Amino acid sequence: MTEHVHAVHPEPDMIQLLTPEGQRVEHPDYPLAITDDEIAALYRDLVLVRRIDTEAIALQRQGELGLWASLLGQEGAQIGAGRALRPHDMAFPSYREHGVAWCRDVDPLTLLGLFRGTNLGGFSPYEHNFNNYTIVIGAQTLHATGYAMGVVRDGAVGTGDPDRDTAVLVFFGDGASSQGDVNESFVFSAAGNLPVVFFCQNNQWAISEPVTTQSRVPLYQRASGFGFPGVRVDGNDVLACLAVTRKALDDARSAQGPTLIEAFTYRMNPHTTNDDPRRYRLASEAETWKLKDPIERVRAYLAREAAISPDFFASVEDESRKLAEHIRSASRVLPDPGAADVFDNVHVTMPDELREQREEFADFLSSLEMSDAK
Amino acid sequence: MTEHVHAVHPEPDMIQLLTPEGQRVEHPDYPLAITDDEIAALYRDLVLVRRIDTEAIALQRQGELGLWASLLGQEGAQIGAGRALRPHDMAFPSYREHGVAWCRDVDPLTLLGLFRGTNLGGFSPYEHNFNNYTIVIGAQTLHATGYAMGVVRDGAVGTGDPDRDTAVLVFFGDGASSQGDVNESFVFSAAGNLPVVFFCQNNQWAISEPVTTQSRVPLYQRASGFGFPGVRVDGNDVLACLAVTRKALDDARSAQGPTLIEAFTYRMNPHTTNDDPRRYRLASEAETWKLKDPIERVRAYLAREAAISPDFFASVEDESRKLAEHIRSASRVLPDPGAADVFDNVHVTMPDELREQREEFADFLSSLEMSDAK
Amino acid sequence: MTALSMAKALNEGLRKAMEADPKVLLMGEDIGKLGGVFRVTDGLQKDFGEDRVIDTPLAESGIIGTAVGLAIRGYRPVCEIQFDGFVFPGFDQIVSQVAKMHNRSAGQVKMPITIRIPYGGGIGAVEHHSESPEAYFAHTAGLKVVACADPSDAYWMIQQAIADDDPVVFFEPKRRYHAAKQELADEPTPLYSARVVRPGSDLTLVAYGSMLTTALEAASVAAEEGRELEVIDLRSVSPLDIPTVLESVRRTGRLVVVHEAPGSFGAGAEIAARVQEQAFYSLEAPVLRVTAFDTPYPPSRLENEWLPNVDRILDTVDKSLEF
Amino acid sequence: MTALSMAKALNEGLRKAMEADPKVLLMGEDIGKLGGVFRVTDGLQKDFGEDRVIDTPLAESGIIGTAVGLAIRGYRPVCEIQFDGFVFPGFDQIVSQVAKMHNRSAGQVKMPITIRIPYGGGIGAVEHHSESPEAYFAHTAGLKVVACADPSDAYWMIQQAIADDDPVVFFEPKRRYHAAKQELADEPTPLYSARVVRPGSDLTLVAYGSMLTTALEAASVAAEEGRELEVIDLRSVSPLDIPTVLESVRRTGRLVVVHEAPGSFGAGAEIAARVQEQAFYSLEAPVLRVTAFDTPYPPSRLENEWLPNVDRILDTVDKSLEF
Ligand SMILES: Cc1ncc(C[n+]2csc(CCOP(=O)(O)OP(=O)(O)O)c2C)c(N)n1
Ligand SMILES: Cc1ncc(C[n+]2csc(CCOP(=O)(O)OP(=O)(O)O)c2C)c(N)n1
Ligand SMILES: [Mg+2]
Ligand SMILES: [Mg+2]
């Protein structure tokens, strides 16, 4: 495989292992032993999560979802990071990490409830070691940090036992880097030398604000001032994201402490389906980034240089279509919430006064049903 | 004067211009043109603010103050920084900057009200361009940053006019460096290239927590990750603090943006008069730091190498005694607050409902006076 | 004069305030080119420049904290909090600095800061985008808290809030931003006064912000059934214009308070407490409240049922009248 | 058994909780070697180690936010906020995460977090060290809010709060930390129940936390003048044990609520609102409140006058009785 590797490297401070043209490049610090079959599996991930995204946007247009936060353009970052996790590692997403959810085996439909307005997340973080989405910008970085404190107290770092040593991976955006919470999580993680990896998807925009509104220096540099390493990776290069995240997670598990990864990528779509980016950015910007598409480069590599079965692309396409159908049909029958969903999980032990309100609300809901039935 | 300057430099990353033994050293980046008379004036400042501190502690012991936060050991940092300010610069203290207040010509008695419990600060920040003390850790760093935004909007930076260009200097501690607000102020200041200088007195302790609880790397390094320079200065060296702060303020005024200064010093006294440091640190630590006393080195320099009048030390001593007497007698007659002080400044325009409460309270106070009079 | 939506009326009000005083600045997330996620600041950066309409870094404590510094320097910052649920990272600066600085400095420093919060639900949003946090601010001495309910009032109230030398937390009912348009009144009502919006004799209905429309709807339905409800738009949650409420209650003998926030420890409690104290013998029934339940804001598919609505208001009105 | 101060009783309660469950952790500023500025955690780091008694960096949002993560990992963090006024930098994590995570996850994640807040005034402190912010938390769905009033209750309540799978904001009246000592009761009272501390027939006096002692003092004085006040220790501010209050009010016909926090939009308002609703015909006078005024906490030289005190309680009791 080494004959495919070229030594070109466009941006000196950005780790890249696969060029936009689909050429493997090597980086001394991030050797990546990966087979073509494994690359093909990543390709499948990339295509399928993009399809989930496409379907969700369509569902939103049809009024089936209230909102959707698209990951278009960020598939490489998310699949690279997500596939670097081991099952017992824990991941904390913000609200756009549908690709990471995919890598954690979270059913895409599970994600839709929040956007459809039938629940607020509603799943168990323990089932797939993937926390519920967090909407308050940056808050989850502290949760990840605290979780990592727990990991340390459980004696689950630095033992050398791969089934025991545990890392925590937390996602946030370029905008989030300005929040106090994110910086406090850097403080706590550095001071405690915690097994947490901060994965910042710098998609160049926080809604309408370019990253320059947040920082005048590359975001990965933030870490050094807190006393831990930061690295910028080509966020559209799934291989580089995989290699860089894997190393950071390894470091975390072996008690080397935190790492900040800045995945340099681009939000190709509006911030959410509510947004109108024509107000604040030029379409030409997206055109430029399209040339760096995270999927195209893997396809180019596979098509040109890998020994994969001839019907591979067609079979992924087929799988993608089936996934889309599944999402379309199943999402429409997502159960609407009832009184129980509103009251039963406010507390573990429901106070009497709330129980009375619950009854009142249930009565009201059934009175509506009765008048509907009339 | 250059014959006094030696090239020894104990800690490579810490700016020092006067050794603990009282020897001038030179630093290529921080040349300091200063006369012996000016150094003598700094000596006077140092002695007098230490005396204010001593008196305040005594007043607290006598029950005249509820509390006092001692600056002992930090005089060099505060006088150096304070004397670097120009009159129209603005300073934002936390709660320990009695030395900076002194440099701003704030009457020491003005500071006592807060600690005596007769007011909450109670002075005008405009009179001496020195804000009221801020007790919530780190909050004032954002105020300074916002003030600097205003300075920029007033066109008062980078004009080259020394009477117009304005810098902002804000004080905080090593513990404060962990607060979200402080890091957000770094974000805003860097992104806006604001004329603000962050002066962190790293006195090694945040109450009982050593600075290692907050950070595993030197605090001055924090700045670089936000995109502006950080520098560590010997905080017990008034000359170095003066030179380094002067340069940073000059940079700010000439639109070069923010600087973080870490003044490496030591809190010689308990955190406040309420604190008991025997619980958490060894007395020997203070003994070591005593050898680096900020006043002794200036006295040694002046006594050994400067041409000052023979009765200089005695006259400072005399002035110091008079200041102490003034504080002692005047503090006891600080006016107690009345109903007006509680209600009249809650709002600029008092709502009717509050006016009624004010009357009720005034009646209650006078009923007490009446029963006292009985 | 043409009729304006509430969003447009606020936009015009902000424009007027900026024209009237060069010290007025707007600051917040996405308020520049985007014009805010609700377009309330649409076009203002273009017209007043980036120095006066500031897209800040994404940090609410930073927004409020720098506004405090700007106020000390003599500016009048108007901070936009993008959604109600995102005011909390800035809560410390609001409660401990904005509310207290004037008092701390013995009146020497003014804090003419307006904090605009698009609040409340009913727009099908996700978590943290539909909160009604007014009671937290009303319970904080040093702050004034108001809510506009219609475009004309929004236009005037935002100007009055900005002109006030005291800090004002300004709640904008986001679900009314693009609802009914209205012509602007020629004159403002005093900012801290309640106003009788619909006279009636059988019962007093007090509401503010988003709930005023709902209360008026309920009153219309009740009128069809022969019950005349007097509807009061509270406008200011703190200070409370209790005299206006009392005057009405002394006539009607009955009071129902409506708000979107959960009921317990909400603004309705204070109104009930004061009215029962000051009009004890006038009340023919206890003061009743129609509020959201004491739960986090629900998934949006249930919000219309969870929020106070005409049905629940009418039920409660019946309860009061039948007491 | 020897009598303990409240600080020592809390210390013993924390020790018991840590012994009972290895997942219980303490975290906060200066709680290790120093034992907290009030010595409530004295000796615990020595006995349980630095991994279980954690001196955190100086950042309250960080303390609460990492506690959330620890709870997700299965721990039971007990966070100490050094002083009431410093809870606000952590307010967002409390209101948007601690209070909502269980609900967000449809009950899959528990948040057994206890947030200890030494609160209230009367100790001659400087600004931000004497606040009573309980109403903010009581108005937040998903949180439980309690306050202890005497050493024995403190000992038991802190253990009950830590054992509760729900998040509890635990208010400790700091001015009672080193006041009267008391022997520990053998059994706890249920955590969310109010308790009649002094029976009486003429009027019901409800208080909690620091004000219980003051209310009892007032009741003693009143007794000398022949008025029998029934004193109820509320204990839990949210949920409210209104049944116990109602039972009393139905007997006495009069209610006065006392708390340290400013009155407007405070906890007393909710109690008044519920009682007038649920005991309308039992009340012979309006529910009255004795609270601090609607101002920031004053300079400490005036705190004793500004805070509710025996004189003001008795004045209000008179007002109620004479109504
Ligand atoms: C505390 C807070 N403030 C504001 C918002 C509103 N908001 C939602 S997403 C967003 C921009 C986030 O940008 P970034 O962190 O770069 O993430 P991205 O959306 O680009 O993935 C904002 C301001 C929020 N969710 N939370
Ligand atoms: C937000 C907040 N949390 C906690 C405190 C209590 N407190 C007062 S001073 C202090 C330590 C501050 O340490 P540092 O920043 O190093 O300043 P120093 O006191 O050493 O000058 C703490 C925790 C506070 N004032 N504000
Ligand atoms: Mg982004
Ligand atoms: Mg310190």
Side-chain angles (χ1 to χ4, degrees):
Chain A
M1 211 160 62
T2 37
E3 71 262 44
H4 305 149
V5 174
H6 299 253
V8 283
H9 211 280
E11 293 193 37
D13 66 348
M14 184 166 86
I15 312 300
Q16 191 181 71
L17 301 181
L18 186 66
T19 69
E21 295 74 31
Q23 292 183 314
R24 289 285 313 270
V25 283
E26 225 164 46
H27 192 287
D29 300 337
Y30 299 97
L32 181 68
I34 190 166
T35 65
D36 284 345
D37 279 352
E38 286 167 336
I39 295 179
L42 292 173
Y43 175 82
R44 173 179 168 275
D45 288 337
L46 293 166
V47 169
L48 295 182
V49 302
R50 181 169 291 183
R51 188 60 180 250
I52 295 169
D53 196 67
T54 308
E55 288 310 314
I57 294 168
L59 286 169
Q60 194 276 337
R61 292 226 176 92
Q62 295 154 25
E64 297 293 332
L65 300 184
L67 184 83
W68 183 251
S70 168
L71 60 43
L72 192 75
Q74 302 177 219
E75 298 89 348
Q78 295 191 16
I79 298 299
R83 288 299 176 204
L85 287 161
R86 297 207 192 128
H88 57 285
D89 291 334
M90 180 72 187
F92 287 84
S94 71
Y95 45 77
R96 203 186 288 285
E97 277 68 61
H98 325 310
V100 184
W102 172 260
C103 296
R104 299 311 271 170
D105 288 329
V106 176
D107 187 326
L109 287 171
T110 306
L111 304 178
L112 295 187
L114 186 161
F115 293 99
R116 187 173 164 90
T118 59
N119 63 40
L120 304 170
F123 59 86
S124 166
Y126 305 113
E127 210 176 320
H128 303 286
N129 283 329
F130 183 77
N131 197 44
N132 279 277
Y133 280 181
T134 297
I135 291 174
V136 178
I137 295 293
Q140 74 280 7
T141 59
L142 282 169
H143 308 162
T145 302
Y147 190 94
M149 287 170 69
V151 167
V152 170
R153 277 157 185 77
D154 293 342
V157 307
T159 69
D161 176 353
D163 291 335
R164 183 171 177 80
D165 289 343
T166 302
V168 185
L169 182 60
V170 59
F171 294 85
F172 60 103
D174 45 295
S177 69
S178 295
Q179 280 285 3
D181 274 9
V182 173
N183 292 282
E184 291 187 9
S185 74
F186 293 168
V187 168
F188 278 67
S189 299
N193 197 40
L194 300 177
V196 58
V197 175
F198 295 98
F199 196 94
C200 175
Q201 288 170 83
N202 174 1
N203 62 8
Q204 314 303 323
W205 292 92
I207 310 186
S208 75
E209 299 188 351
V211 62
T212 47
T213 302
Q214 320 291 339
S215 182
R216 59 182 186 184
V217 292
L219 292 173
Y220 76 90
Q221 294 180 8
R222 180 75 56 85
S224 75
F226 290 87
F228 59 95
V231 53
R232 177 181 276 187
V233 60
D234 180 347
N236 286 16
D237 172 356
V238 68
L239 298 187
C241 289
L242 177 66
V244 168
T245 311
R246 219 178 238 173
K247 171 159 187 339
L249 292 171
D250 278 345
D251 286 350
R253 289 189 210 95
S254 57
Q256 310 285 299
T259 302
L260 168 63
I261 299 171
E262 178 194 2
F264 202 75
T265 179
Y266 193 76
R267 197 196 75 211
M268 297 295 289
N269 266 332
H271 171 69
T272 66
T273 45
N274 274 346
D275 184 33
D276 178 6
R278 287 168 307 176
R279 292 183 154 252
Y280 55 80
R281 69 183 192 186
L282 295 172
S284 60
E285 201 178 271
E287 289 309 311
T288 315
W289 277 91
K290 213 165 182 175
L291 303 175
K292 304 182 194 166
D293 187 69
I295 303 188
E296 268 320 301
R297 65 179 79 185
V298 184
R299 171 187 267 279
Y301 169 82
L302 288 172
R304 212 164 45 214
E305 326 224 21
I308 47 160
S309 94
D311 61 354
F312 170 71
F313 291 116
S315 84
V316 171
E317 208 29 60
D318 193 48
E319 199 181 352
S320 165
R321 210 171 33 247
K322 284 190 188 126
L323 178 63
E325 272 159 27
H326 168 62
I327 291 172
R328 275 198 295 271
S329 56
S331 67
R332 288 191 168 78
V333 296
L334 281 177
D336 266 355
D341 298 274
V342 179
F343 288 86
D344 287 5
N345 301 313
V346 179
H347 308 274
V348 176
T349 318
M350 193 185 296
D352 291 341
E353 56 185 51
L354 197 59
R355 196 173 305 282
E356 287 162 25
Q357 294 183 26
R358 183 189 194 278
E359 277 160 33
E360 192 189 321
F361 190 55
D363 287 351
F364 179 69
L365 288 183
S366 61
S367 78
L368 291 182
E369 267 164 42
M370 274 168 14
S371 58
D372 278 0
K374 276 181 216 161
Chain B
M1 211 161 61
T2 37
E3 72 262 42
H4 306 149
V5 174
H6 299 251
V8 285
H9 212 281
E11 292 193 39
D13 65 349
M14 184 165 89
I15 312 300
Q16 191 181 71
L17 301 182
L18 185 68
T19 70
E21 296 74 32
Q23 291 184 315
R24 290 284 314 270
V25 283
E26 223 163 48
H27 193 288
D29 299 337
Y30 299 96
L32 181 68
I34 190 167
T35 65
D36 284 345
D37 279 351
E38 287 167 335
I39 296 180
L42 293 172
Y43 175 83
R44 173 180 168 272
D45 288 337
L46 293 166
V47 168
L48 295 183
V49 303
R50 180 169 292 181
R51 188 60 179 253
I52 294 169
D53 197 67
T54 309
E55 287 311 313
I57 293 168
L59 285 170
Q60 193 278 336
R61 291 227 177 91
Q62 294 154 23
E64 297 294 330
L65 300 184
L67 184 83
W68 182 250
S70 167
L71 61 42
L72 192 75
Q74 301 177 221
E75 299 88 348
Q78 295 190 16
I79 298 299
R83 287 297 175 206
L85 288 161
R86 295 203 194 134
H88 58 284
D89 291 334
M90 181 72 187
F92 287 84
S94 72
Y95 44 77
R96 203 186 287 286
E97 277 68 62
H98 325 308
V100 184
W102 171 260
C103 296
R104 299 310 273 170
D105 288 330
V106 176
D107 186 325
L109 287 171
T110 305
L111 304 177
L112 295 187
L114 187 162
F115 293 100
R116 188 175 164 91
T118 59
N119 63 39
L120 304 169
F123 60 85
S124 166
Y126 304 113
E127 209 176 322
H128 303 286
N129 281 328
F130 184 76
N131 197 43
N132 279 278
Y133 279 0
T134 297
I135 291 174
V136 178
I137 295 294
Q140 74 280 6
T141 58
L142 283 169
H143 308 162
T145 302
Y147 191 94
M149 288 170 69
V151 167
V152 171
R153 277 156 186 76
D154 293 342
V157 306
T159 69
D161 176 353
D163 290 334
R164 182 170 176 82
D165 289 344
T166 302
V168 185
L169 182 61
V170 59
F171 294 86
F172 60 103
D174 45 295
S177 69
S178 294
Q179 280 286 4
D181 274 8
V182 173
N183 292 281
E184 291 187 10
S185 74
F186 293 168
V187 168
F188 279 66
S189 299
N193 197 40
L194 299 177
V196 57
V197 175
F198 296 98
F199 196 95
C200 175
Q201 288 170 82
N202 175 0
N203 62 8
Q204 314 302 323
W205 292 92
I207 309 187
S208 76
E209 299 187 351
V211 62
T212 46
T213 302
Q214 320 292 340
S215 182
R216 59 183 185 185
V217 291
L219 293 174
Y220 76 91
Q221 294 180 9
R222 180 75 56 85
S224 75
F226 290 87
F228 59 97
V231 54
R232 178 182 275 186
V233 60
D234 180 348
N236 287 16
D237 173 355
V238 68
L239 298 187
C241 290
L242 176 67
V244 168
T245 311
R246 220 177 239 172
K247 173 164 188 335
L249 291 171
D250 279 344
D251 287 350
R253 287 189 212 97
S254 57
Q256 311 284 299
T259 303
L260 169 62
I261 299 172
E262 177 193 3
F264 203 74
T265 179
Y266 192 76
R267 196 196 76 211
M268 297 295 288
N269 265 332
H271 171 70
T272 64
T273 45
N274 274 347
D275 183 35
D276 178 5
R278 287 168 307 178
R279 290 182 156 253
Y280 56 81
R281 71 184 191 186
L282 295 171
S284 60
E285 203 179 90
E287 288 310 311
T288 315
W289 277 91
K290 211 164 184 174
L291 304 174
K292 304 182 193 165
D293 186 70
I295 302 189
E296 268 320 301
R297 65 179 77 186
V298 184
R299 171 189 268 279
Y301 170 82
L302 289 173
R304 214 166 42 217
E305 326 223 20
I308 47 159
S309 93
D311 61 354
F312 170 73
F313 292 116
S315 83
V316 170
E317 206 31 58
D318 193 48
E319 199 182 353
S320 165
R321 210 173 32 247
K322 282 189 191 126
L323 178 62
E325 271 159 31
H326 168 62
I327 292 173
R328 274 197 296 270
S329 55
S331 68
R332 287 189 170 80
V333 296
L334 282 176
D336 267 356
D341 298 276
V342 179
F343 287 87
D344 286 4
N345 301 312
V346 179
H347 308 273
V348 176
T349 318
M350 193 185 296
D352 290 342
E353 57 186 52
L354 197 59
R355 196 174 304 279
E356 287 162 25
Q357 293 183 26
R358 183 191 195 275
E359 276 160 33
E360 192 189 321
F361 190 55
D363 287 352
F364 180 68
L365 288 184
S366 61
S367 79
L368 291 182
E369 266 163 41
M370 275 167 12
S371 60
D372 277 0
K374 276 178 212 161
Chain C
M1 189 168 212
T2 53
L4 301 181
S5 69
M6 183 183 287
K8 185 66 188 156
L10 286 164
N11 180 273
E12 285 296 323
L14 290 169
R15 178 180 295 276
K16 279 274 180 314
M18 295 187 77
E19 282 166 358
D21 185 345
K23 292 294 185 188
V24 173
L25 303 177
L26 312 189
M27 46 200 300
E29 297 157 7
D30 306 293
I31 66 167
K33 283 193 184 149
L34 185 62
V37 295
F38 295 106
R39 308 294 183 264
V40 170
T41 57
D42 191 26
L44 297 177
Q45 189 182 66
K46 190 159 151 283
D47 294 345
F48 294 96
E50 293 188 11
D51 261 7
R52 292 189 65 193
V53 180
I54 308 167
D55 266 342
T56 66
L58 205 177
E60 286 76 9
S61 193
I63 293 171
I64 307 293
T66 55
V68 169
L70 278 159
I72 296 176
R73 180 79 189 177
Y75 284 87
R76 303 184 90 84
V78 182
C79 304
E80 173 171 305
I81 298 295
Q82 195 163 80
F83 285 89
D84 34 63
F86 307 136
V87 71
F88 301 121
F91 199 71
D92 176 57
Q93 285 284 350
I94 297 176
V95 165
S96 294
Q97 305 300 332
V98 174
K100 295 186 172 61
M101 187 72 84
H102 181 66
N103 191 55
R104 182 180 305 145
S105 68
Q108 311 279 340
V109 180
K110 288 179 190 160
M111 286 284 120
I113 296 174
T114 304
I115 301 173
R116 293 183 40 238
I117 308 185
Y119 91 104
I123 62 158
V126 297
E127 205 185 350
H128 312 293
H129 289 70
S130 308
E131 311 271 314
S132 296
E134 66 274 13
Y136 297 125
F137 302 102
H139 183 51
T140 304
L143 300 177
K144 293 170 174 173
V145 181
V146 303
C148 56
D150 65 39
S152 177
D153 231 12
Y155 170 79
W156 285 112
M157 287 172 77
I158 189 65
Q159 294 179 68
Q160 293 167 305
I162 295 170
D164 193 326
D165 277 339
D166 288 317
V168 179
V169 187
F170 193 93
F171 284 95
E172 302 171 2
K174 65 171 90 83
R175 70 158 122 167
R176 308 292 179 204
Y177 271 147
H178 302 284
K181 293 186 180 181
Q182 188 186 32
E183 285 193 13
L184 304 181
D186 294 334
E187 298 249 307
T189 310
L191 184 55
Y192 303 106
S193 299
R195 134 187 104 123
V196 176
V197 180
R198 176 185 176 121
S201 51
D202 294 336
L203 181 147
T204 306
L205 207 49
V206 165
Y208 54 90
S210 59
M211 282 296 116
L212 182 69
T213 308
T214 314
L216 285 169
E217 282 166 20
S220 299
V221 177
E224 288 167 21
E225 297 167 8
R227 285 144 180 203
E228 291 307 329
L229 311 188
E230 175 145 312
V231 179
I232 293 180
D233 180 3
L234 200 58
R235 301 176 74 251
S236 174
V237 178
S238 177
L240 273 176
D241 179 6
I242 284 295
T244 297
V245 177
L246 286 178
E247 191 281 325
S248 174
V249 170
R250 291 207 174 98
R251 278 189 282 107
T252 64
R254 296 170 201 274
L255 174 62
V256 170
V257 185
V258 189
H259 61 64
E260 267 201 52
S264 287
F265 305 87
E270 182 62 32
I271 298 168
R274 290 206 205 168
V275 169
Q276 62 92 35
E277 180 175 344
Q278 295 175 46
F280 190 68
Y281 286 124
S282 308
L283 284 172
E284 288 163 40
V287 182
L288 299 181
R289 295 176 280 171
V290 187
T291 68
F293 298 101
D294 293 330
T295 76
Y297 201 87
S300 62
R301 290 259 162 169
L302 260 190
E303 64 183 341
N304 290 334
E305 292 73 28
W306 184 83
L307 287 172
N309 48 37
V310 171
D311 286 338
R312 282 179 51 211
I313 293 174
L314 291 174
D315 279 358
T316 308
V317 164
D318 286 349
K319 223 170 123 186
S320 175
L321 290 170
E322 288 158 15
F323 195 84
Chain D
M1 189 166 213
T2 53
L4 300 181
S5 69
M6 182 183 286
K8 185 65 188 156
L10 286 164
N11 180 274
E12 285 296 322
L14 290 169
R15 178 180 295 278
K16 280 274 181 315
M18 295 188 78
E19 282 166 359
D21 185 345
K23 293 292 186 190
V24 174
L25 303 177
L26 313 189
M27 47 200 299
E29 296 157 7
D30 306 294
I31 67 168
K33 283 194 182 143
L34 185 62
V37 295
F38 294 106
R39 308 295 183 264
V40 169
T41 58
D42 191 27
L44 297 177
Q45 189 182 64
K46 191 158 152 281
D47 294 345
F48 294 96
E50 293 187 11
D51 261 7
R52 293 190 64 196
V53 180
I54 308 168
D55 267 341
T56 66
L58 206 178
E60 286 77 10
S61 193
I63 293 170
I64 307 293
T66 55
V68 168
L70 278 158
I72 296 176
R73 179 78 189 179
Y75 283 87
R76 303 183 88 83
V78 182
C79 303
E80 175 172 305
I81 298 294
Q82 196 162 80
F83 285 88
D84 33 65
F86 307 135
V87 71
F88 300 121
F91 199 70
D92 176 58
Q93 285 283 349
I94 297 175
V95 165
S96 294
Q97 305 300 332
V98 174
K100 295 187 171 63
M101 186 72 83
H102 182 65
N103 190 56
R104 181 180 305 144
S105 69
Q108 310 279 342
V109 180
K110 288 179 189 160
M111 286 285 120
I113 297 175
T114 304
I115 301 173
R116 293 182 40 238
I117 307 185
Y119 92 103
I123 63 158
V126 296
E127 206 186 349
H128 312 291
H129 290 69
S130 307
E131 310 271 313
S132 296
E134 66 274 13
Y136 297 124
F137 302 101
H139 184 51
T140 304
L143 299 177
K144 293 171 174 173
V145 181
V146 303
C148 56
D150 65 39
S152 177
D153 231 13
Y155 170 80
W156 285 113
M157 286 172 76
I158 189 66
Q159 294 179 68
Q160 293 167 306
I162 294 170
D164 193 326
D165 278 339
D166 288 317
V168 179
V169 186
F170 193 93
F171 283 95
E172 303 171 2
K174 65 171 90 82
R175 71 158 121 167
R176 309 291 179 204
Y177 271 148
H178 302 285
K181 293 186 181 184
Q182 188 186 32
E183 286 194 10
L184 304 181
D186 294 334
E187 298 248 308
T189 310
L191 184 55
Y192 302 107
S193 300
R195 139 186 99 121
V196 176
V197 181
R198 176 186 176 122
S201 50
D202 293 333
L203 179 148
T204 305
L205 206 51
V206 166
Y208 54 89
S210 59
M211 283 297 116
L212 183 69
T213 307
T214 314
L216 285 169
E217 283 167 18
S220 297
V221 177
E224 287 166 22
E225 297 167 7
R227 286 146 181 201
E228 291 306 328
L229 312 187
E230 176 145 311
V231 180
I232 294 181
D233 180 3
L234 199 61
R235 301 175 74 252
S236 174
V237 179
S238 177
L240 272 176
D241 179 5
I242 284 294
T244 297
V245 177
L246 287 177
E247 191 280 325
S248 174
V249 170
R250 292 208 173 96
R251 279 188 285 103
T252 65
R254 297 170 200 275
L255 174 62
V256 171
V257 185
V258 189
H259 60 63
E260 267 200 52
S264 287
F265 305 87
E270 182 62 30
I271 298 168
R274 291 207 204 167
V275 169
Q276 62 90 36
E277 178 174 345
Q278 296 175 45
F280 190 68
Y281 286 124
S282 307
L283 284 172
E284 289 163 40
V287 182
L288 299 181
R289 295 176 280 171
V290 187
T291 68
F293 297 101
D294 293 329
T295 76
Y297 201 87
S300 62
R301 290 259 162 168
L302 261 190
E303 65 184 341
N304 290 333
E305 291 74 30
W306 183 84
L307 288 171
N309 48 38
V310 171
D311 286 338
R312 283 179 50 212
I313 294 175
L314 291 175
D315 280 358
T316 308
V317 164
D318 285 350
K319 222 171 124 186
S320 175
L321 290 170
E322 288 159 15
F323 195 85

